[in-house]
Amino acid sequence: MSGKPLRGLLLTPLTCSLTLRVYYLGSFIFVLLANACKFVFLFLFLFMGIILLLDSRVNNAGIEKVVENIQGSIPKVEWDYEGIHYFDNGPLSVQYLFVLDALNFCFWPDKDLNYDHLASGLKAALQNDKSAFDADRLQKYTGPELRELLKWPRPLPLEDERVRLLHEVGFELERNFGGKASNLVESCGKSAAKLVALVTRHFAGFRDHSVYKGHQVFLYKRAQIFVADLWGAFKGQGYGEFYDIGSITMFADYVVPAVLEQLGVLKYSSRLANIIETNNEISSGSEEEVELRACSVYAVEKMKELIRIKSGKQVLSVELDLWLWSVGVQCPALQHHRTLSIYY
Ligand SMILES: Nc1nc2c(c(CN[C@H]3C=C[C@H](O)[C@@H]3O)cn2[C@@H]2O[C@H](COP(=O)(O)O)[C@@H](O)[C@H]2O)c(=O)[nH]1
């Protein structure tokens, strides 16, 4: 979430640790400069500065360059520009999007699988059988049945988790929302923030959070993308109408951070760059993973702010995200970080 909650919940750990480090180094250099050997200590200061760097950081110059290049208006990308999603302008579309975003994570372990297969596979399944995503049916799918639904010839990455999450969606929808995701959406009173809160309260699988240096960090990628998908699919009307859509941040996945790094907006430490280049995995919840994801959210918020300052245009993080994501998926050579995660 952006604005105050974002700063309070998400960025505090990063800024705090940076502030502490700056303070620490400040006192350190003050004491040292009081001594005679200024140059030796200056060297030491620089050296310490380098080893204390975070694995990911946001490069303001990179942001300025991107904003200058796009001249204040982001290239418009239509939601469903790929034509792969189910849409009938009614409650079944809401059910489809909720199921889609419950499973919208971690495609990369199978090099032939991507998001398009999931979106179009679920669309075909629904067109074939309109009751395929009824709450009682969702609670019964097995791994092989899900594979069959998606017409995927081998086990899906994290297949057991995908099945468990489908069951959870079916069970909680039935228990709290009369089996219908449209009731869930209706009960949020057209507030994107309330919908994210409601989804994460009732559906544990959407609680995308980590503990970073002792602070709880909430990124809520799939809960937020569900809101954005509703907004995009219904074109801001009906089930897609949210008066506070501006409170949604970018969706910290594995594509957009890679695009931001390529654009020079994110800078990785050479250690992290090496892990990504050599296709080594980063564990879920590790400091480098949280930094990379949180810096992506922060960078997009900064980009949005700079666009407003330079051009007076109020763009949404959701719009920036879709543009950056569409750039990323059109670039198959783009190397991204690899984390086995149910969150993105
Ligand atoms: N930040 C962000 N991440 C997004 C999306 C979407 C799809 N949004 C759809 C909605 C309307 C549009 O028309 C889009 O089709 C998927 N992902 C993430 O990408 C990764 C999959 O990548 P690959 O393995 O290459 O397919 C995986 O983490 C997945 O969760 C997005 O919009 N923003």
Side-chain angles (χ1 to χ4, degrees):
M1 309 297 296
S2 71
K4 241 175 158 231
L6 172 83
R7 292 210 164 83
L9 297 174
L10 172 65
L11 297 174
T12 305
L14 288 178
T15 15
C16 265
S17 78
L18 269 176
T19 316
L20 274 179
R21 283 166 192 202
V22 169
Y23 175 75
Y24 206 47
L25 286 173
S27 335
F28 181 67
I29 197 166
F30 176 78
V31 174
L32 296 184
L33 286 180
N35 292 297
C37 314
K38 282 183 190 156
F39 293 110
V40 176
F41 291 126
L42 257 174
F43 173 78
L44 259 178
F45 168 71
L46 284 176
F47 179 70
M48 279 195 68
I50 288 163
I51 58 168
L52 283 175
L53 274 181
L54 300 171
D55 275 313
S56 299
R57 66 192 169 84
V58 177
N59 178 26
N60 284 330
I63 295 181
E64 293 210 4
K65 210 164 144 202
V66 173
V67 171
E68 204 173 294
N69 282 346
I70 59 174
Q71 297 192 324
S73 62
I74 49 171
K76 188 99 193 112
V77 180
E78 280 296 310
W79 192 88
D80 196 33
Y81 66 94
E82 319 95 314
I84 53 175
H85 298 91
Y86 177 87
F87 189 68
D88 64 6
N89 209 20
L92 196 53
S93 305
V94 181
Q95 195 87 353
Y96 164 81
L97 291 174
F98 198 47
V99 170
L100 172 70
D101 286 323
L103 304 178
N104 183 1
F105 57 87
C106 205
F107 304 96
W108 58 266
D110 185 326
K111 67 176 175 36
D112 299 318
L113 182 72
N114 60 36
Y115 171 81
D116 291 16
H117 294 113
L118 177 71
S120 55
L122 294 177
K123 175 185 180 180
L126 200 53
Q127 282 171 333
N128 196 33
D129 173 2
K130 293 275 173 288
S131 63
F133 300 157
D134 283 2
D136 56 332
R137 300 272 303 274
L138 291 175
Q139 293 173 64
K140 294 195 191 106
Y141 282 109
T142 63
E145 281 166 358
L146 177 60
R147 251 179 264 165
E148 171 57 28
L149 205 68
L150 298 174
K151 303 274 174 274
W152 197 248
R154 48 187 177 273
L156 298 155
L158 301 176
E159 186 173 273
D160 291 348
E161 281 300 282
R162 290 190 143 92
V163 168
R164 186 183 66 79
L165 293 167
L166 264 192
H167 293 181
E168 180 183 271
V169 163
F171 180 75
E172 294 297 334
L173 277 180
E174 194 169 87
R175 189 160 70 150
N176 302 294
F177 301 99
K180 302 218 175 310
S182 54
N183 290 338
L184 163 74
V185 175
E186 274 167 5
S187 57
C188 78
K190 302 191 191 309
S191 164
K194 273 196 196 142
L195 184 51
V196 170
L198 210 57
V199 167
T200 53
R201 185 188 312 151
H202 289 282
F203 302 86
F206 282 84
R207 281 177 213 152
D208 172 5
H209 74 125
S210 334
V211 178
Y212 178 86
K213 296 185 196 297
H215 298 267
Q216 195 175 13
V217 175
F218 304 88
L219 292 161
Y220 289 163
K221 185 255 175 190
R222 288 195 286 106
Q224 291 196 87
I225 210 170
F226 172 55
V227 176
D229 283 344
L230 288 166
W231 180 78
F234 288 89
K235 299 193 187 314
Q237 304 292 312
Y239 292 113
E241 186 183 347
F242 301 104
Y243 62 80
D244 55 352
I245 189 69
S247 68
I248 298 295
T249 67
M250 62 75 73
F251 319 113
D253 68 334
Y254 52 84
V255 174
V256 175
V259 175
L260 293 173
E261 195 271 337
Q262 281 297 303
L263 292 172
V265 167
L266 286 191
K267 293 280 183 201
Y268 295 157
S269 67
S270 53
R271 193 184 72 84
L272 178 58
N274 187 261
I275 293 174
I276 295 174
E277 271 159 32
T278 51
N279 286 337
N280 276 311
E281 280 182 33
I282 296 175
S283 14
S284 178
S286 62
E287 287 192 2
E288 55 266 59
E289 190 220 14
V290 182
E291 282 174 17
L292 186 156
R293 298 185 72 205
C295 281
S296 303
V297 176
Y298 183 71
V300 171
E301 291 302 305
K302 289 293 263 187
M303 214 181 269
K304 184 167 92 172
E305 197 176 297
L306 196 62
I307 293 175
R308 187 183 51 76
I309 292 168
K310 295 250 167 175
S311 68
K313 285 186 192 140
Q314 197 80 46
V315 298
L316 297 168
S317 301
V318 176
E319 294 169 312
L320 274 167
D321 176 275
L322 186 54
W323 165 54
L324 293 165
W325 187 80
S326 68
V327 169
V329 289
Q330 284 167 52
C331 178
L334 189 73
Q335 277 191 299
H336 58 74
H337 77 282
R338 290 159 183 254
T339 296
L340 273 184
S341 170
I342 62 156
Y343 295 138
Y344 63 95

